[in-house]
Amino acid sequence: MSDIEKRGDDENSTGVVVKTKPKTRKPSLYKVLMLNDDYTPMEFVVHILERFFSKNRHEAERIMMHVHQRGVGLCGVYTYEVAETKVTQVMDFARQHQHPLQCTLEKE
Ligand code: TYC
C-alpha cells in the first residue's frame, strides 16, 4: 500500500491520510578558521593550506595573505568529524615545527 495515502475500503474506511516524514537530516557544517600570529612563516601557512585543505598555490597564498592582513580567514567548510580532524592535523603539524599557528572550528 502507498505510504503517502491509504484509502479505506469496506473494512478500512476511515480515510486517514498517512504521510511518512523523511527521516534523514543534512549534517551540520563547520568552518575551519586560521588565525594570524607574528611568528609563523608565510610559506609554512601556504604549505598547510595546500597540504591539508587541498588549495592550489594561488588560492593558498590568497587565504594566507587574507589571514595575515585581517587576523582570521576561512580554510574550508566540513562536517564535524572532518573539520575536527583538519584542526588536529594543522595544530600537530605546526607544533612539530615549533610554530604557534592556531586553527579553530566554528559551527556555520
Ligand atoms: N603573520 C605571519 C608573518 O608575518 C604570517 C601568517 C599568516 C601567520 C597567516 C599565521 O595564519 C597565519 N610571518
Side-chain angles (χ1 to χ4, degrees):
M1 198 182 289
S2 159
D3 62 2
I4 300 301
E5 185 178 335
K6 295 183 178 177
R7 290 192 186 286
D9 55 22
D10 287 346
E11 282 83 45
N12 177 18
S13 56
T14 54
V16 174
V17 175
V18 178
K19 193 171 181 183
T20 56
K21 211 176 180 184
K23 280 170 190 158
T24 56
R25 292 209 158 278
K26 290 186 184 158
S28 301
L29 295 176
Y30 294 77
K31 297 182 212 173
V32 174
L33 303 172
M34 191 99 89
L35 307 180
N36 188 37
D37 67 71
D38 292 338
Y39 305 102
T40 305
M42 290 184 173
E43 186 52 42
F44 186 81
V45 178
V46 170
H47 177 72
I48 283 203
L49 289 161
E50 292 176 322
R51 177 166 172 162
F52 298 114
F53 299 96
S54 304
K55 304 299 183 188
N56 62 39
R57 191 84 195 166
H58 182 78
E59 186 65 359
E61 287 174 351
R62 189 193 65 75
I63 295 169
M64 183 280 296
M65 282 311 293
H66 176 95
V67 177
H68 177 68
Q69 290 164 351
R70 311 281 294 270
V72 60
L74 181 65
C75 302
V77 177
Y78 309 94
T79 56
Y80 183 79
E81 286 201 338
V82 174
E84 186 65 56
T85 300
K86 303 264 182 211
V87 169
T88 301
Q89 287 173 330
V90 170
M91 300 291 283
D92 287 354
F93 192 67
R95 200 173 307 123
Q96 280 165 28
H97 291 83
Q98 301 180 315
H99 296 311
L101 183 64
Q102 296 289 308
C103 188
T104 104
L105 173 165
E106 182 181 282
K107 196 168 196 286
E108 245 199 1

